[in-house]
Amino acid sequence: MDLLMRLLDMKTYVALARNRHFGRTAEELNTTQPAISSRLASIERELGCKLVIRGEGRFALTSDGENVLQHFESVLAGMDSLKDSLSGADHNSHEPLRIGAIDSVSSTWMPQLIEALHREFPGLKIELTVDGTKPLVAGMRKGEFDLVFCLHPVLDEGFRSYTACVFQMSWAGSPKLIDPERVYSVAALADLPIISFPKNSPPYQMVAPYFHDEQALASKLTSCNSLFAIINLLIDGFGVGAVPTVTIARELQMGLLHPIRVTKRFPPMPIIASYQASLRQEFIRQIVRQAKRCTADYCASANPEMVWID
């Protein structure tokens, strides 16, 4: 097998480990699933060990597979570095960093993280996707992201998670609708129109038990999948909602919204970061370290009652 074919097999294996799916890998490499299977089988025959466990919807690397992945990535990175040194290019510009985040993260400390990453890695391409927790977790499992910030961890093999920060949540509403001086019971709050994220979404799953615990139900519920739209609906007086306090700090200061005084406080919302642990290992570790620094800096500069690190 010549060097070109060896590099092709290595790239195929790395892509397969990232996508965790033969069909998606074939699509990415513009080939067929049988071709991907054939390349994997060729590598396993040559190395004399099984690299992948698959079946019934499961995909995982064996311990040998993890070891081989690290070596293949090292070889491919070395080849990229050699080509870049000969051409004068920046190797960081080859593969983009794919970050996913819910909108409460994208509207707070994500700009600082992107700025810091561009300073540390000049030429790095960053692809930011803002979406809900469920699509982000699903996309991470499909190999569409390198790092995501949302409300649930990615628990599959090959991923690592940590709590990036914690957002305090506040019930808030327009002075057109609520009395800022009144203390609202859960039942009184339930009598107001409620604006929340869609049913079965992680934020909604925090709101529903808040009322269920008191045997009270919201008389009117409007759902929306955008934090920014929810905030605008709150300002216009269409209802009240529980949102991360730090995301409405300006609106609170301007008097467009008021925090609702309640007898039962809404629980805080942890932001969970999940990242690929078996791909581009040293690079991803550097990204995670920078993300932790940026989050810590943001929390240090913000009101500690609104956002903090456990």
Side-chain angles (χ1 to χ4, degrees):
M1 187 182 296
D2 59 27
L3 177 60
L4 180 60
M5 185 59 70
R6 288 183 184 276
L7 290 176
L8 177 59
D9 286 346
M10 290 181 190
K11 290 179 180 178
T12 299
Y13 183 69
V14 170
L16 182 60
R18 181 179 68 251
N19 289 313
R20 307 167 71 84
H21 192 275
F22 283 79
R24 289 192 293 269
T25 303
E27 183 178 351
E28 176 184 332
L29 299 180
N30 194 28
T31 185
T32 64
Q33 291 190 47
I36 301 298
S37 297
S38 176
R39 292 175 193 175
L40 174 62
S42 176
I43 298 171
E44 290 180 329
R45 281 197 305 272
E46 184 166 346
L47 297 179
C49 59
K50 190 172 182 61
L51 305 179
V52 171
I53 301 172
R54 52 176 166 162
E56 298 183 357
R58 185 189 179 201
F59 181 99
L61 300 183
T62 65
S63 57
D64 287 331
E66 295 281 1
N67 189 28
V68 168
L69 176 62
Q70 293 181 35
H71 282 81
F72 280 8
E73 285 191 315
S74 178
V75 171
L76 293 173
M79 290 299 297
D80 285 341
S81 179
L82 174 60
K83 289 188 291 184
D84 291 339
S85 66
L86 295 174
S87 65
D90 182 353
H91 75 277
N92 289 321
S93 64
H94 280 291
E95 286 191 42
L97 175 67
R98 304 160 304 163
I99 301 177
I102 57 176
D103 41 14
S104 58
V105 172
S106 68
S107 64
T108 51
W109 46 264
M110 184 55 65
Q112 289 94 315
L113 174 58
I114 291 176
E115 182 180 1
L117 290 175
H118 280 150
R119 285 197 305 267
E120 185 171 356
F121 303 101
L124 174 66
K125 294 183 178 68
I126 298 176
E127 297 176 355
L128 174 63
T129 299
V130 180
D131 210 332
T133 290
K134 285 189 174 182
L136 292 176
V137 170
M140 193 71 172
R141 287 178 173 142
K142 293 177 182 177
E144 296 172 357
F145 300 109
D146 301 301
L147 174 66
V148 295
F149 299 94
C150 53
L151 303 185
H152 288 170
V154 182
L155 299 176
D156 292 2
E157 294 181 59
F159 299 101
R160 298 288 183 273
S161 299
Y162 68 93
T163 301
C165 66
V166 180
F167 285 138
Q168 180 57 54
M169 303 286 285
S170 294
W171 284 102
S174 166
K176 305 172 188 175
L177 182 64
I178 60 110
D179 178 0
E181 301 304 319
R182 178 182 174 185
V183 178
Y184 288 78
S185 67
V186 173
L189 199 61
D191 287 335
L192 297 171
I194 306 294
I195 302 174
S196 176
F197 282 82
K199 190 174 182 179
N200 297 325
S201 68
Y204 177 86
Q205 290 167 359
M206 296 177 68
V207 172
Y210 181 92
F211 292 100
H212 179 71
D213 290 346
E214 303 290 341
Q215 300 300 312
L217 297 174
S219 59
K220 298 177 183 177
L221 179 66
T222 300
S223 63
C224 178
N225 65 354
S226 165
L227 173 64
F228 306 106
I230 288 175
I231 292 173
N232 285 329
L233 290 171
L234 297 179
I235 292 172
D236 290 337
F238 285 100
V240 299
V243 295
T245 316
V246 70
T247 64
I248 56 170
R250 181 179 60 182
E251 288 77 10
L252 293 174
Q253 185 177 17
M254 295 173 64
L256 297 173
L257 292 175
H258 287 271
I260 300 176
R261 302 170 67 188
V262 291
T263 57
K264 177 183 176 182
R265 198 172 189 186
F266 201 87
M269 184 175 73
I271 301 298
I272 309 299
S274 297
Y275 59 95
Q276 291 270 11
S278 58
L279 296 166
R280 305 165 72 186
Q281 289 187 345
E282 180 53 35
F283 176 63
I284 295 299
R285 278 196 291 266
Q286 292 176 4
I287 298 299
V288 169
R289 285 195 293 267
Q290 186 61 261
K292 290 181 177 180
R293 284 195 294 267
C294 286
T295 310
D297 290 345
Y298 179 82
C299 291
S301 65
N303 185 331
E305 294 183 356
M306 293 184 179
V307 57
W308 63 89
I309 296 177
D310 277 344

